[in-house]
Amino acid sequence: MRGVIFDGKQVRVVDDLAVRDPGPGEVLVAVSAAGLCHSDLSVVDGTIPFPVPVVLGHEGAGVVEAVGAGVTHVAPGDHVALSTLANCGTCAECDRGRPTMCRQAIGRPGRPFSEDGRPVYQFAANSAFAERTVVKAVQAVRIPKDIPMPSAALIGCGVLTGLGAVLNRARVDRGDSVLVIGTGGIGLNVIQGARIAGALRIVAVDANPDKEAVARQFGATDFLTSTKGVKDVLPTGADHAFECVGRVELIREAIDLLDRHGQAVLLGVPPATAEASFRVSTLFLDKAILGCRYGSSRPQRDIALYAELYRQGRLLLDELVTATYPVEDFEKARADAAAGRVARGVLTF
């Protein structure tokens, strides 16, 4: 079968990839569409260290082909969106409703794939850049069959992360002011999450002025090409600032642009060893800096919720898919994503 492999030096689209059958508590999914996220690019450029060779991709949707023993919530033929959260479901964090903190779901890559008899790692417990993948049952969330697969694919990462950061982590409330730095796939979902939450002022910042129209379409009330103008729009600062780029100087600006009681939520991914600085005294007005893993989400609950919001016309998904590519055109998709020419490019099989 076809798939996209990074071997530590180059990315290859191969046609001799194999995946094992699902074991107990696992699901085999025929992937229909997969979004190309900057986290995939970050593996290739070394920003996210990961063992190789690895099948890339972590934002996908498809059709269940087979299930292992004990799996009852999905069946062959069901349409599913895939999450990256291979949590155990039985530890204290899972029991508290915090599956993103499950230690069984972090840093334990498996190798269900093989190429020419050699084992290949799975990225983010998902590897959606393959015609078929095996995931834990908890990662496969049934969705209505009337949701287009390219749109459904985006729920599993960009939507969960962006909306979850707003609704689950920051808990933006009606009337709040929100600053969003970076309007790529994650930033746009933060913007529409803030709109859904009832934020009164949503200020989007992106160096590319061509992104203004789509930022406003998703819910931004104001658009700036630099953070220098934020205080003109929000004189006392923002209640919530989301850094969606992953640059340490922008993290500092997100903190500096907070109002009293404000909180900065860090969503961008800088290099693993990057360090950020800030004036400690600025935090004494009850300001906070929040990390956020995967939107602090509970995928079985949240994916179903977001799918229904989409069906009601309240959540934009189709508008995020600005380009689709057959998997053979991965290099073009990668170049377009790296250059910021697309909000989200989607690979199709």
Side-chain angles (χ1 to χ4, degrees), residues 22 37 68 85-87 95 123 138 157 163 165-166 179 191 270 286 295 317 337:
C37 174
L85 205 57
N87 59 295
D95 192 51
F123 178 54
V138 72
C157 178
L163 263 72
V166 173
L179 169 65
I191 289 171
D286 284 3
L317 291 179

Side-chain angles (χ1 to χ4, degrees), residues 18 25 61 66 87 101 103 111 127 142 173 218 223 233 266 319 339 341:
N87 59 295
M101 295 296 102
R103 285 173 170 78
R111 293 193 286 183
S127 288
R142 188 169 59 242
D173 200 359
F218 275 70
F223 183 90
V233 180
L266 310 186
E319 295 80 0
R341 289 189 286 266

Side-chain angles (χ1 to χ4, degrees), residues 10-13 327-336 347:
Q10 63 177 342
V11 178
R12 297 179 290 120
V13 179
V327 68
E328 292 81 6
D329 288 345
F330 174 79
E331 282 302 325
K332 176 173 172 49
R334 175 184 169 191
D336 287 347
L347 300 180

Side-chain angles (χ1 to χ4, degrees), residues 111-169:
R111 293 193 286 183
F113 298 99
S114 62
E115 184 196 17
D116 194 24
R118 294 186 295 272
V120 179
Y121 283 101
Q122 185 174 39
F123 178 54
N126 188 309
S127 288
F129 293 171
E131 287 189 271
R132 291 174 183 81
T133 189
V134 168
V135 298
K136 292 183 68 171
V138 72
Q139 296 176 253
V141 184
R142 188 169 59 242
I143 57 174
K145 292 184 178 181
D146 58 359
I147 301 180
M149 284 293 187
S151 298
L154 304 188
I155 300 177
C157 178
V159 175
L160 274 181
T161 299
L163 263 72
V166 173
L167 303 177
N168 300 329
R169 188 67 169 123

Side-chain angles (χ1 to χ4, degrees), residues 187-252:
L188 288 175
N189 280 299
V190 171
I191 289 171
Q192 68 172 336
R195 168 178 53 79
I196 291 169
L200 187 62
R201 208 74 183 262
I202 305 171
V203 181
V205 176
D206 198 292
N208 183 353
D210 293 338
K211 293 187 175 183
E212 178 173 2
V214 69
R216 290 187 180 276
Q217 179 184 20
F218 275 70
T221 59
D222 302 87
F223 183 90
L224 303 169
T225 56
S226 167
T227 56
K228 293 179 180 178
V230 171
K231 283 296 183 74
D232 294 329
V233 180
L234 301 173
T236 61
D239 295 315
H240 312 272
F242 296 83
E243 200 284 334
C244 306
V245 180
R247 288 169 48 187
V248 293
E249 64 271 24
L250 294 179
I251 291 173
R252 170 63 181 266

